mmCIF file of all heavy atoms in Angstrom:
data_model
loop_
_atom_site.group_PDB
_atom_site.id
_atom_site.type_symbol
_atom_site.label_atom_id
_atom_site.label_comp_id
_atom_site.label_asym_id
_atom_site.label_seq_id
_atom_site.Cartn_x
_atom_site.Cartn_y
_atom_site.Cartn_z
ATOM 1 N N MET T 1 -12.842 9.232 -4.784
ATOM 2 C CA MET T 1 -12.423 8.098 -3.992
ATOM 3 C C MET T 1 -13.409 7.928 -2.835
ATOM 4 O O MET T 1 -13.792 8.881 -2.192
ATOM 5 C CB MET T 1 -11.005 8.331 -3.464
ATOM 6 C CG MET T 1 -10.353 7.094 -2.950
ATOM 7 S SD MET T 1 -8.633 7.339 -2.418
ATOM 8 C CE MET T 1 -7.836 7.717 -3.952
ATOM 9 N N THR T 2 -13.801 6.705 -2.577
ATOM 10 C CA THR T 2 -14.790 6.473 -1.542
ATOM 11 C C THR T 2 -14.192 6.612 -0.152
ATOM 12 O O THR T 2 -12.984 6.502 0.036
ATOM 13 C CB THR T 2 -15.392 5.063 -1.680
ATOM 14 O OG1 THR T 2 -14.362 4.114 -1.418
ATOM 15 C CG2 THR T 2 -15.984 4.830 -3.061
ATOM 16 N N GLN T 3 -15.095 6.817 0.799
ATOM 17 C CA GLN T 3 -14.659 6.963 2.191
ATOM 18 C C GLN T 3 -14.029 5.663 2.691
ATOM 19 O O GLN T 3 -13.052 5.691 3.425
ATOM 20 C CB GLN T 3 -15.834 7.362 3.065
ATOM 21 C CG GLN T 3 -15.447 7.646 4.496
ATOM 22 C CD GLN T 3 -16.625 8.105 5.325
ATOM 23 O OE1 GLN T 3 -17.761 8.062 4.902
ATOM 24 N NE2 GLN T 3 -16.337 8.546 6.527
ATOM 25 N N ALA T 4 -14.573 4.529 2.269
ATOM 26 C CA ALA T 4 -14.024 3.234 2.694
ATOM 27 C C ALA T 4 -12.593 3.072 2.198
ATOM 28 O O ALA T 4 -11.734 2.544 2.918
ATOM 29 C CB ALA T 4 -14.893 2.096 2.182
ATOM 30 N N LYS T 5 -12.308 3.540 0.997
ATOM 31 C CA LYS T 5 -10.964 3.430 0.451
ATOM 32 C C LYS T 5 -9.989 4.303 1.241
ATOM 33 O O LYS T 5 -8.851 3.907 1.497
ATOM 34 C CB LYS T 5 -10.940 3.806 -1.025
ATOM 35 C CG LYS T 5 -9.651 3.465 -1.713
ATOM 36 C CD LYS T 5 -9.739 3.618 -3.220
ATOM 37 C CE LYS T 5 -8.446 3.207 -3.865
ATOM 38 N NZ LYS T 5 -8.516 3.277 -5.304
ATOM 39 N N HIS T 6 -10.439 5.488 1.662
ATOM 40 C CA HIS T 6 -9.604 6.368 2.494
ATOM 41 C C HIS T 6 -9.267 5.696 3.820
ATOM 42 O O HIS T 6 -8.142 5.773 4.289
ATOM 43 C CB HIS T 6 -10.299 7.706 2.763
ATOM 44 C CG HIS T 6 -10.305 8.636 1.596
ATOM 45 N ND1 HIS T 6 -9.156 9.176 1.071
ATOM 46 C CD2 HIS T 6 -11.330 9.116 0.852
ATOM 47 C CE1 HIS T 6 -9.463 9.965 0.056
ATOM 48 N NE2 HIS T 6 -10.777 9.940 -0.104
ATOM 49 N N LYS T 7 -10.275 5.041 4.435
ATOM 50 C CA LYS T 7 -10.039 4.362 5.702
ATOM 51 C C LYS T 7 -9.028 3.233 5.515
ATOM 52 O O LYS T 7 -8.150 3.038 6.349
ATOM 53 C CB LYS T 7 -11.349 3.807 6.264
ATOM 54 C CG LYS T 7 -12.281 4.870 6.776
ATOM 55 C CD LYS T 7 -13.563 4.253 7.292
ATOM 56 C CE LYS T 7 -14.533 5.324 7.737
ATOM 57 N NZ LYS T 7 -15.817 4.748 8.166
ATOM 58 N N TYR T 8 -9.164 2.493 4.429
ATOM 59 C CA TYR T 8 -8.236 1.397 4.167
ATOM 60 C C TYR T 8 -6.821 1.930 3.981
ATOM 61 O O TYR T 8 -5.867 1.375 4.507
ATOM 62 C CB TYR T 8 -8.672 0.607 2.933
ATOM 63 C CG TYR T 8 -7.704 -0.483 2.564
ATOM 64 C CD1 TYR T 8 -7.649 -1.660 3.316
ATOM 65 C CD2 TYR T 8 -6.818 -0.331 1.510
ATOM 66 C CE1 TYR T 8 -6.756 -2.661 3.006
ATOM 67 C CE2 TYR T 8 -5.912 -1.324 1.196
ATOM 68 C CZ TYR T 8 -5.890 -2.492 1.938
ATOM 69 O OH TYR T 8 -4.986 -3.473 1.629
ATOM 70 N N GLN T 9 -6.676 3.029 3.241
ATOM 71 C CA GLN T 9 -5.356 3.614 3.023
ATOM 72 C C GLN T 9 -4.757 4.110 4.332
ATOM 73 O O GLN T 9 -3.564 3.945 4.577
ATOM 74 C CB GLN T 9 -5.435 4.752 2.006
ATOM 75 C CG GLN T 9 -5.660 4.271 0.591
ATOM 76 C CD GLN T 9 -5.876 5.412 -0.380
ATOM 77 O OE1 GLN T 9 -6.250 6.509 0.004
ATOM 78 N NE2 GLN T 9 -5.625 5.140 -1.655
ATOM 79 N N ALA T 10 -5.581 4.706 5.189
ATOM 80 C CA ALA T 10 -5.091 5.179 6.486
ATOM 81 C C ALA T 10 -4.647 4.001 7.338
ATOM 82 O O ALA T 10 -3.607 4.048 8.005
ATOM 83 C CB ALA T 10 -6.177 5.970 7.208
ATOM 84 N N TYR T 11 -5.411 2.916 7.317
ATOM 85 C CA TYR T 11 -5.054 1.722 8.080
ATOM 86 C C TYR T 11 -3.746 1.138 7.563
ATOM 87 O O TYR T 11 -2.852 0.792 8.340
ATOM 88 C CB TYR T 11 -6.171 0.671 7.993
ATOM 89 C CG TYR T 11 -5.815 -0.625 8.655
ATOM 90 C CD1 TYR T 11 -5.853 -0.751 10.038
ATOM 91 C CD2 TYR T 11 -5.411 -1.724 7.909
ATOM 92 C CE1 TYR T 11 -5.510 -1.935 10.661
ATOM 93 C CE2 TYR T 11 -5.072 -2.913 8.526
ATOM 94 C CZ TYR T 11 -5.131 -3.009 9.899
ATOM 95 O OH TYR T 11 -4.782 -4.187 10.497
ATOM 96 N N THR T 12 -3.608 1.050 6.253
ATOM 97 C CA THR T 12 -2.388 0.504 5.654
ATOM 98 C C THR T 12 -1.182 1.349 6.038
ATOM 99 O O THR T 12 -0.140 0.825 6.407
ATOM 100 C CB THR T 12 -2.528 0.441 4.123
ATOM 101 O OG1 THR T 12 -3.653 -0.397 3.813
ATOM 102 C CG2 THR T 12 -1.294 -0.137 3.472
ATOM 103 N N ALA T 13 -1.335 2.669 5.971
ATOM 104 C CA ALA T 13 -0.227 3.554 6.341
ATOM 105 C C ALA T 13 0.130 3.383 7.815
ATOM 106 O O ALA T 13 1.304 3.344 8.172
ATOM 107 C CB ALA T 13 -0.596 5.010 6.050
ATOM 108 N N ALA T 14 -0.873 3.244 8.666
ATOM 109 C CA ALA T 14 -0.613 3.097 10.103
ATOM 110 C C ALA T 14 0.133 1.803 10.398
ATOM 111 O O ALA T 14 1.033 1.778 11.229
ATOM 112 C CB ALA T 14 -1.918 3.144 10.887
ATOM 113 N N THR T 15 -0.228 0.718 9.711
ATOM 114 C CA THR T 15 0.445 -0.556 9.980
ATOM 115 C C THR T 15 1.898 -0.527 9.540
ATOM 116 O O THR T 15 2.706 -1.302 10.026
ATOM 117 C CB THR T 15 -0.259 -1.747 9.302
ATOM 118 O OG1 THR T 15 -0.266 -1.548 7.888
ATOM 119 C CG2 THR T 15 -1.667 -1.927 9.823
ATOM 120 N N GLN T 16 2.230 0.392 8.633
ATOM 121 C CA GLN T 16 3.603 0.486 8.157
ATOM 122 C C GLN T 16 4.425 1.516 8.931
ATOM 123 O O GLN T 16 5.646 1.478 8.888
ATOM 124 C CB GLN T 16 3.616 0.817 6.665
ATOM 125 C CG GLN T 16 3.026 -0.300 5.826
ATOM 126 C CD GLN T 16 2.883 0.071 4.369
ATOM 127 O OE1 GLN T 16 3.244 1.157 3.951
ATOM 128 N NE2 GLN T 16 2.338 -0.838 3.581
ATOM 129 N N THR T 17 3.765 2.430 9.623
ATOM 130 C CA THR T 17 4.501 3.505 10.291
ATOM 131 C C THR T 17 4.440 3.458 11.811
ATOM 132 O O THR T 17 5.269 4.066 12.461
ATOM 133 C CB THR T 17 3.984 4.886 9.826
ATOM 134 O OG1 THR T 17 2.589 4.984 10.130
ATOM 135 C CG2 THR T 17 4.205 5.091 8.344
ATOM 136 N N VAL T 18 3.477 2.754 12.368
ATOM 137 C CA VAL T 18 3.334 2.676 13.822
ATOM 138 C C VAL T 18 4.019 1.407 14.309
ATOM 139 O O VAL T 18 3.830 0.332 13.738
ATOM 140 C CB VAL T 18 1.836 2.675 14.225
ATOM 141 C CG1 VAL T 18 1.670 2.517 15.726
ATOM 142 C CG2 VAL T 18 1.160 3.953 13.744
ATOM 143 N N ALA T 19 4.811 1.529 15.356
ATOM 144 C CA ALA T 19 5.514 0.377 15.916
ATOM 145 C C ALA T 19 4.517 -0.725 16.269
ATOM 146 O O ALA T 19 3.413 -0.454 16.720
ATOM 147 C CB ALA T 19 6.284 0.793 17.159
ATOM 148 N N LYS T 20 4.930 -1.969 16.060
ATOM 149 C CA LYS T 20 4.040 -3.101 16.334
ATOM 150 C C LYS T 20 3.588 -3.128 17.786
ATOM 151 O O LYS T 20 2.429 -3.431 18.076
ATOM 152 C CB LYS T 20 4.707 -4.409 15.946
ATOM 153 C CG LYS T 20 4.902 -4.545 14.441
ATOM 154 C CD LYS T 20 5.195 -5.967 14.048
ATOM 155 C CE LYS T 20 5.469 -6.091 12.571
ATOM 156 N NZ LYS T 20 4.407 -5.638 11.704
ATOM 157 N N THR T 21 4.477 -2.806 18.698
ATOM 158 C CA THR T 21 4.083 -2.797 20.104
ATOM 159 C C THR T 21 3.044 -1.711 20.374
ATOM 160 O O THR T 21 2.134 -1.905 21.167
ATOM 161 C CB THR T 21 5.304 -2.618 21.020
ATOM 162 O OG1 THR T 21 6.074 -1.502 20.568
ATOM 163 C CG2 THR T 21 6.170 -3.875 21.031
ATOM 164 N N LYS T 22 3.166 -0.584 19.695
ATOM 165 C CA LYS T 22 2.179 0.497 19.830
ATOM 166 C C LYS T 22 0.839 0.052 19.240
ATOM 167 O O LYS T 22 -0.220 0.358 19.791
ATOM 168 C CB LYS T 22 2.685 1.768 19.132
ATOM 169 C CG LYS T 22 1.722 2.926 19.196
ATOM 170 C CD LYS T 22 1.534 3.418 20.610
ATOM 171 C CE LYS T 22 0.686 4.667 20.622
ATOM 172 N NZ LYS T 22 0.306 5.043 21.974
ATOM 173 N N GLN T 23 0.878 -0.690 18.131
ATOM 174 C CA GLN T 23 -0.348 -1.208 17.535
ATOM 175 C C GLN T 23 -1.071 -2.129 18.517
ATOM 176 O O GLN T 23 -2.299 -2.067 18.649
ATOM 177 C CB GLN T 23 -0.043 -1.970 16.245
ATOM 178 C CG GLN T 23 0.426 -1.095 15.108
ATOM 179 C CD GLN T 23 0.812 -1.913 13.883
ATOM 180 O OE1 GLN T 23 0.256 -2.970 13.630
ATOM 181 N NE2 GLN T 23 1.783 -1.423 13.126
ATOM 182 N N ILE T 24 -0.316 -2.952 19.227
ATOM 183 C CA ILE T 24 -0.914 -3.867 20.195
ATOM 184 C C ILE T 24 -1.564 -3.074 21.327
ATOM 185 O O ILE T 24 -2.686 -3.383 21.746
ATOM 186 C CB ILE T 24 0.128 -4.868 20.725
ATOM 187 C CG1 ILE T 24 0.577 -5.797 19.589
ATOM 188 C CG2 ILE T 24 -0.437 -5.690 21.881
ATOM 189 C CD1 ILE T 24 1.790 -6.636 19.915
ATOM 190 N N VAL T 25 -0.889 -2.044 21.800
ATOM 191 C CA VAL T 25 -1.456 -1.190 22.851
ATOM 192 C C VAL T 25 -2.767 -0.575 22.362
ATOM 193 O O VAL T 25 -3.770 -0.549 23.092
ATOM 194 C CB VAL T 25 -0.451 -0.093 23.285
ATOM 195 C CG1 VAL T 25 -1.110 0.930 24.201
ATOM 196 C CG2 VAL T 25 0.765 -0.714 23.958
ATOM 197 N N MET T 26 -2.774 -0.116 21.137
ATOM 198 C CA MET T 26 -3.979 0.489 20.574
ATOM 199 C C MET T 26 -5.113 -0.534 20.458
ATOM 200 O O MET T 26 -6.287 -0.206 20.715
ATOM 201 C CB MET T 26 -3.657 1.109 19.214
ATOM 202 C CG MET T 26 -2.723 2.312 19.317
ATOM 203 S SD MET T 26 -2.023 2.843 17.732
ATOM 204 C CE MET T 26 -3.466 3.462 16.902
ATOM 205 N N LEU T 27 -4.770 -1.762 20.089
ATOM 206 C CA LEU T 27 -5.788 -2.810 20.021
ATOM 207 C C LEU T 27 -6.362 -3.104 21.406
ATOM 208 O O LEU T 27 -7.575 -3.268 21.562
ATOM 209 C CB LEU T 27 -5.213 -4.077 19.382
ATOM 210 C CG LEU T 27 -4.953 -3.977 17.880
ATOM 211 C CD1 LEU T 27 -4.130 -5.162 17.394
ATOM 212 C CD2 LEU T 27 -6.268 -3.883 17.114
ATOM 213 N N TYR T 28 -5.496 -3.173 22.410
ATOM 214 C CA TYR T 28 -5.977 -3.365 23.776
ATOM 215 C C TYR T 28 -6.896 -2.215 24.189
ATOM 216 O O TYR T 28 -7.932 -2.442 24.829
ATOM 217 C CB TYR T 28 -4.817 -3.489 24.771
ATOM 218 C CG TYR T 28 -4.313 -4.894 24.914
ATOM 219 C CD1 TYR T 28 -3.213 -5.344 24.206
ATOM 220 C CD2 TYR T 28 -4.931 -5.785 25.788
ATOM 221 C CE1 TYR T 28 -2.744 -6.639 24.347
ATOM 222 C CE2 TYR T 28 -4.473 -7.087 25.932
ATOM 223 C CZ TYR T 28 -3.377 -7.507 25.212
ATOM 224 O OH TYR T 28 -2.929 -8.789 25.347
ATOM 225 N N ASP T 29 -6.520 -0.993 23.847
ATOM 226 C CA ASP T 29 -7.376 0.158 24.163
ATOM 227 C C ASP T 29 -8.760 -0.019 23.539
ATOM 228 O O ASP T 29 -9.781 0.268 24.178
ATOM 229 C CB ASP T 29 -6.744 1.463 23.672
ATOM 230 C CG ASP T 29 -5.545 1.895 24.494
ATOM 231 O OD1 ASP T 29 -5.379 1.421 25.640
ATOM 232 O OD2 ASP T 29 -4.747 2.716 23.979
ATOM 233 N N GLY T 30 -8.791 -0.506 22.315
ATOM 234 C CA GLY T 30 -10.073 -0.744 21.641
ATOM 235 C C GLY T 30 -10.891 -1.820 22.328
ATOM 236 O O GLY T 30 -12.103 -1.651 22.544
ATOM 237 N N VAL T 31 -10.256 -2.920 22.696
ATOM 238 C CA VAL T 31 -10.971 -4.003 23.378
ATOM 239 C C VAL T 31 -11.532 -3.499 24.707
ATOM 240 O O VAL T 31 -12.698 -3.754 25.038
ATOM 241 C CB VAL T 31 -10.052 -5.231 23.617
ATOM 242 C CG1 VAL T 31 -10.759 -6.271 24.460
ATOM 243 C CG2 VAL T 31 -9.598 -5.831 22.318
ATOM 244 N N ILE T 32 -10.707 -2.800 25.459
ATOM 245 C CA ILE T 32 -11.151 -2.269 26.759
ATOM 246 C C ILE T 32 -12.346 -1.343 26.556
ATOM 247 O O ILE T 32 -13.342 -1.418 27.286
ATOM 248 C CB ILE T 32 -9.991 -1.546 27.472
ATOM 249 C CG1 ILE T 32 -8.925 -2.570 27.884
ATOM 250 C CG2 ILE T 32 -10.493 -0.738 28.668
ATOM 251 C CD1 ILE T 32 -7.580 -1.961 28.276
ATOM 252 N N ARG T 33 -12.260 -0.479 25.555
ATOM 253 C CA ARG T 33 -13.361 0.454 25.275
ATOM 254 C C ARG T 33 -14.642 -0.306 24.919
ATOM 255 O O ARG T 33 -15.723 -0.008 25.446
ATOM 256 C CB ARG T 33 -12.972 1.410 24.141
ATOM 257 C CG ARG T 33 -14.013 2.485 23.858
ATOM 258 C CD ARG T 33 -13.589 3.459 22.769
ATOM 259 N NE ARG T 33 -13.431 2.781 21.479
ATOM 260 C CZ ARG T 33 -12.256 2.535 20.885
ATOM 261 N NH1 ARG T 33 -11.130 2.924 21.444
ATOM 262 N NH2 ARG T 33 -12.194 1.915 19.727
ATOM 263 N N PHE T 34 -14.539 -1.336 24.059
ATOM 264 C CA PHE T 34 -15.724 -2.096 23.662
ATOM 265 C C PHE T 34 -16.328 -2.861 24.841
ATOM 266 O O PHE T 34 -17.551 -2.915 24.987
ATOM 267 C CB PHE T 34 -15.411 -3.061 22.519
ATOM 268 C CG PHE T 34 -15.206 -2.388 21.191
ATOM 269 C CD1 PHE T 34 -14.159 -2.778 20.364
ATOM 270 C CD2 PHE T 34 -16.043 -1.371 20.745
ATOM 271 C CE1 PHE T 34 -13.956 -2.169 19.134
ATOM 272 C CE2 PHE T 34 -15.854 -0.754 19.513
ATOM 273 C CZ PHE T 34 -14.806 -1.155 18.707
ATOM 274 N N VAL T 35 -15.486 -3.447 25.686
ATOM 275 C CA VAL T 35 -16.023 -4.171 26.847
ATOM 276 C C VAL T 35 -16.679 -3.190 27.818
ATOM 277 O O VAL T 35 -17.753 -3.474 28.367
ATOM 278 C CB VAL T 35 -14.934 -5.025 27.541
ATOM 279 C CG1 VAL T 35 -15.478 -5.665 28.814
ATOM 280 C CG2 VAL T 35 -14.406 -6.103 26.605
ATOM 281 N N GLN T 36 -16.073 -2.014 28.023
ATOM 282 C CA GLN T 36 -16.679 -1.006 28.895
ATOM 283 C C GLN T 36 -18.022 -0.552 28.333
ATOM 284 O O GLN T 36 -19.008 -0.427 29.070
ATOM 285 C CB GLN T 36 -15.745 0.197 29.075
ATOM 286 C CG GLN T 36 -16.302 1.283 29.980
ATOM 287 C CD GLN T 36 -16.586 0.799 31.398
ATOM 288 O OE1 GLN T 36 -15.710 0.256 32.051
ATOM 289 N NE2 GLN T 36 -17.816 0.979 31.868
ATOM 290 N N GLN T 37 -18.069 -0.314 27.038
ATOM 291 C CA GLN T 37 -19.330 0.087 26.414
ATOM 292 C C GLN T 37 -20.352 -1.055 26.484
ATOM 293 O O GLN T 37 -21.546 -0.817 26.662
ATOM 294 C CB GLN T 37 -19.097 0.510 24.964
ATOM 295 C CG GLN T 37 -18.353 1.815 24.832
ATOM 296 C CD GLN T 37 -17.943 2.136 23.391
ATOM 297 O OE1 GLN T 37 -18.029 1.298 22.492
ATOM 298 N NE2 GLN T 37 -17.488 3.356 23.177
ATOM 299 N N GLY T 38 -19.870 -2.300 26.354
ATOM 300 C CA GLY T 38 -20.745 -3.459 26.503
ATOM 301 C C GLY T 38 -21.310 -3.529 27.915
ATOM 302 O O GLY T 38 -22.490 -3.846 28.109
ATOM 303 N N LYS T 39 -20.475 -3.242 28.896
ATOM 304 C CA LYS T 39 -20.924 -3.210 30.294
ATOM 305 C C LYS T 39 -22.020 -2.150 30.473
ATOM 306 O O LYS T 39 -23.046 -2.399 31.113
ATOM 307 C CB LYS T 39 -19.747 -2.915 31.222
ATOM 308 C CG LYS T 39 -20.132 -2.808 32.673
ATOM 309 C CD LYS T 39 -18.947 -2.397 33.534
ATOM 310 C CE LYS T 39 -19.437 -2.101 34.953
ATOM 311 N NZ LYS T 39 -18.416 -1.496 35.767
ATOM 312 N N ASP T 40 -21.792 -0.982 29.882
ATOM 313 C CA ASP T 40 -22.805 0.084 29.961
ATOM 314 C C ASP T 40 -24.111 -0.353 29.294
ATOM 315 O O ASP T 40 -25.199 -0.057 29.795
ATOM 316 C CB ASP T 40 -22.284 1.367 29.309
ATOM 317 C CG ASP T 40 -21.074 1.957 30.035
ATOM 318 O OD1 ASP T 40 -20.825 1.586 31.205
ATOM 319 O OD2 ASP T 40 -20.364 2.776 29.406
ATOM 320 N N ALA T 41 -23.990 -1.072 28.177
ATOM 321 C CA ALA T 41 -25.180 -1.564 27.478
ATOM 322 C C ALA T 41 -25.913 -2.609 28.320
ATOM 323 O O ALA T 41 -27.152 -2.643 28.345
ATOM 324 C CB ALA T 41 -24.786 -2.147 26.118
#
């Protein structure tokens, strides 16, 4: 099984087991991290 398929399966499992509000918090964490890294760049 390819690594990409494992990532997709992990993502699918997370969307079904992690609360939607927690998913939103995690997305915000990602955006903040990318903007901070963009600032550093």
Side-chain angles (χ1 to χ4, degrees):
M1 195 176 294
T2 66
Q3 185 177 9
K5 191 170 183 177
H6 285 295
K7 289 179 183 177
Y8 176 75
Q9 288 174 338
Y11 175 77
T12 301
T15 60
Q16 295 173 2
T17 59
V18 177
K20 292 196 183 302
T21 50
K22 179 66 174 171
Q23 291 176 31
I24 294 168
V25 171
M26 293 167 68
L27 288 168
Y28 273 97
D29 288 341
V31 174
I32 292 165
R33 185 178 64 252
F34 287 136
V35 175
Q36 180 60 54
Q37 290 172 349
K39 178 185 172 190
D40 296 343

